[in-house]
Amino acid sequence: MLAEERQKQIMQDLYESQSVKISDLIERLQVTRETIRKDLYDLEEKGFIRKVHGGAVLNKSNIQTAYTNRKSVNEKEKRGIAKKAAAFVEEGDTVYIDYGTTALYLTQELMLHANDLTIVTNSLAIANEVVDGSDFELILIGGNVRRNERSTVGPIATRTMNDLFVDIGFFSAGALHPTHGYTSVHLGEAEVSRLMLQHTHKHVMMIDYSKFGTVHMNRVAKIEEIERLITDEKADNDMLEEIEQKTKDVVIAKSSE
């Protein structure tokens, strides 16, 4: 197993349990103690983890809080972004909506103002919203369930998506950097997003200002691969200028009151 693959697996374990033991990693990955120590050193240098006696824990900046808690973080900005995003949907569209909390607000906007849509999602929260509050056609992508994110990932999810093609897709990511692009804390969710980007005719990234300038472990997309970014008024202007050179359209949304 290559170092990059081992380190991704270590990060995957950390996102699930918040800590790992060197002894457990040695046994599971079938490598030496020195190899694991080198992997942990590399991850610490990148800012992803913090080494502790006998193992490692996630760097606080990479700890992902529960979905229900994150909904209220920067809610005004997220709702403003969602309102702008909804304006790009046309009647009769097949729409992919991913697992992020801004995506939930987009779903609510569409339920208020749109008709005759087919919603494709890997989010249980969004699926519940659509089932309870609309007549939209709903396609829920199956797979392994991430409880803290209320999303489906894994080989079952990707096999399903291989046969799906949509008019417009709305995506999110845990971080946005002008050089490193859109990144996610979770390998499985990054894989789902990367595949769906290939299966959408038009794609939109929804990112609030707090995600700017940070980098997570797993790339979702390069800046130039996304044709439209919707963000809010608090986004860093210098970074926006860099991003605008690589993206066809950058839309600034006003915070929703």
Side-chain angles (χ1 to χ4, degrees):
M1 184 182 291
L2 297 174
E4 182 180 0
E5 295 173 338
R6 285 196 310 274
Q7 291 174 19
K8 283 189 174 182
Q9 186 59 63
I10 291 169
M11 289 302 298
Q12 187 69 60
D13 292 349
L14 281 165
Y15 291 133
E16 296 297 334
S17 61
Q18 310 300 313
S19 66
V20 293
K21 292 181 178 179
I22 290 176
S23 57
D24 292 340
L25 293 173
I26 291 170
E27 182 177 352
R28 196 158 64 79
L29 299 176
Q30 294 295 294
V31 292
T32 65
R33 178 175 292 272
E34 289 71 24
T35 297
I36 292 298
R37 286 186 180 278
K38 175 65 165 56
D39 287 335
L40 295 181
Y41 175 81
D42 289 344
L43 291 170
E44 187 173 51
E45 282 290 295
K46 294 173 184 176
F48 295 129
I49 71 165
R50 180 168 57 87
K51 290 189 294 181
V52 296
H53 181 68
V57 296
L58 268 180
N59 185 328
K60 287 184 179 180
S61 66
N62 277 285
I63 296 176
Q64 192 172 36
T65 56
Y67 187 89
T68 51
N69 292 334
R70 290 192 299 107
K71 279 168 52 180
S72 60
V73 177
N74 302 326
E75 181 176 346
K76 289 183 179 180
E77 288 77 16
K78 291 176 180 178
R79 287 191 180 277
I81 291 169
K83 188 170 290 189
K84 277 286 187 183
F88 293 102
V89 176
E90 299 179 1
E91 297 296 320
D93 273 351
T94 299
V95 183
Y96 173 74
I97 306 177
D98 79 356
Y99 52 85
T101 53
T102 306
L104 182 64
Y105 295 131
L106 168 63
T107 304
Q108 293 169 352
E109 282 290 325
L110 293 176
M111 288 165 54
L112 286 172
H113 304 295
N115 297 292
D116 189 27
L117 299 180
T118 298
I119 304 297
V120 180
T121 187
N122 70 324
S123 167
L124 301 182
I126 288 171
N128 286 334
E129 196 88 8
V130 171
V131 165
D132 292 338
S134 80
D135 295 324
F136 296 159
E137 187 74 21
L138 173 65
I139 299 173
L140 175 61
I141 296 168
N144 299 91
V145 176
R146 278 197 74 209
R147 286 181 171 82
N148 71 323
E149 190 62 32
R150 305 291 191 266
S151 64
T152 56
V153 297
I156 295 174
T158 54
R159 283 201 298 271
T160 302
M161 291 185 299
N162 277 325
D163 296 324
L164 292 173
F165 297 87
V166 302
D167 298 306
I168 185 168
F170 293 92
F171 301 86
S172 55
L176 168 57
H177 189 280
T179 302
H180 303 296
Y182 302 93
T183 53
S184 171
V185 299
H186 193 270
L187 175 61
E189 285 175 348
E191 288 178 339
V192 167
S193 295
R194 283 198 301 268
L195 180 56
M196 281 309 300
L197 280 167
Q198 299 172 28
H199 287 234
T200 56
H201 179 61
K202 295 179 287 186
H203 36 262
V204 179
M205 189 68 75
M206 304 181 298
I207 302 284
D208 71 75
Y209 76 96
S210 66
K211 313 293 176 54
F212 277 60
T214 57
V215 182
H216 290 319
M217 184 74 175
N218 306 286
R219 175 175 280 164
V220 174
K222 297 178 181 178
I223 296 292
E224 55 269 25
E225 291 176 319
I226 303 298
E227 61 187 12
R228 176 172 288 123
L229 165 66
I230 304 179
T231 188
D232 60 87
E233 298 169 298
K234 294 182 181 179
D236 184 273
N237 287 329
D238 291 337
M239 291 188 193
L240 275 178
E241 287 182 6
E242 290 187 61
I243 292 166
E244 285 173 340
Q245 295 175 15
K246 303 177 183 179
T247 301
K248 291 181 181 178
D249 188 25
V250 175
V251 178
I252 307 299
K254 293 183 178 180
S255 298
S256 180
E257 297 299 332

